[in-house]
Amino acid sequence: SVLKQVETMLTVITVIIAFLTGIALIVSTLGIVNTMITSVLERTREIGIFKAVGATNSQVMAVFLTESAMIGLVGGLLGLAIALLAMIPGDAIGSSMIAERAAIPYRGNVFVLPLWLAFAGPALGAVTAVLAAIIPARRAAQIDPVKALRHD
């Protein structure tokens, strides 16, 4: 009975955390879209020069998609580093809380980062960033070089 209640609570907590993670992913995606649109607008002259010397639309897109992938990868790696740093005090606090309530010392780790998640987190950041940058990269590729060179 008690085990079933704990299992139900953990399921509810997991669903809530997944929901909050989804919201964070949407917000970060919008942030990346905004960053890339701003980057395209600020670099209009650079794009014009790039196209004037012979760059194709796909090469211009590749520049912005690569930049976005790097932003996503670095963001994912920073998030992973912050999570690892937060696990240290989190384990100590969690272990002491369990020991208080259970009246026995807890020897295991409360927070565990699976190896697959350590790789999937930064990869998901990079993929999400690339998907978010597709529209701004297309916009950059379609810029007319003559108009871009006249742009101030």
Side-chain angles (χ1 to χ4, degrees):
S1 171
V2 172
L3 189 59
K4 194 148 187 104
Q5 287 178 345
V6 169
E7 188 177 308
T8 303
M9 276 192 345
L10 287 175
T11 303
V12 169
I13 290 170
T14 302
V15 169
I16 290 170
I17 290 173
F19 178 74
L20 293 174
T21 302
I23 290 173
L25 187 63
I26 291 169
V27 169
S28 64
T29 301
L30 292 174
I32 292 169
V33 169
N34 185 39
T35 301
M36 295 311 295
I37 287 174
T38 304
S39 180
V40 168
L41 291 174
E42 289 178 351
R43 293 164 60 185
T44 301
R45 190 168 177 81
E46 178 186 330
I47 294 166
I49 292 169
F50 194 49
K51 290 184 88 172
V53 296
T56 64
N57 287 348
S58 58
Q59 288 172 328
V60 172
M61 278 187 68
V63 166
F64 284 94
L65 292 177
T66 302
E67 180 180 322
S68 179
M70 297 278 71
I71 290 170
L73 183 63
V74 169
L77 290 171
L78 284 174
L80 182 63
I82 291 169
L84 288 170
L85 288 174
M87 285 171 60
I88 296 168
D91 265 342
I93 294 167
S95 294
S96 67
M97 288 175 69
I98 291 171
E100 276 179 24
R101 294 202 170 93
I104 56 170
Y106 183 73
R107 302 269 183 241
N109 289 331
V110 176
F111 297 101
V112 178
L113 181 70
L115 186 60
W116 68 268
L117 188 57
F119 288 105
L124 178 64
V127 169
T128 302
V130 168
L131 292 175
I134 289 175
I135 293 172
R138 277 191 182 159
R139 180 181 280 179
Q142 293 171 351
I143 290 176
D144 180 27
V146 175
K147 289 180 181 175
L149 290 173
R150 289 185 191 158
H151 184 266
D152 283 331

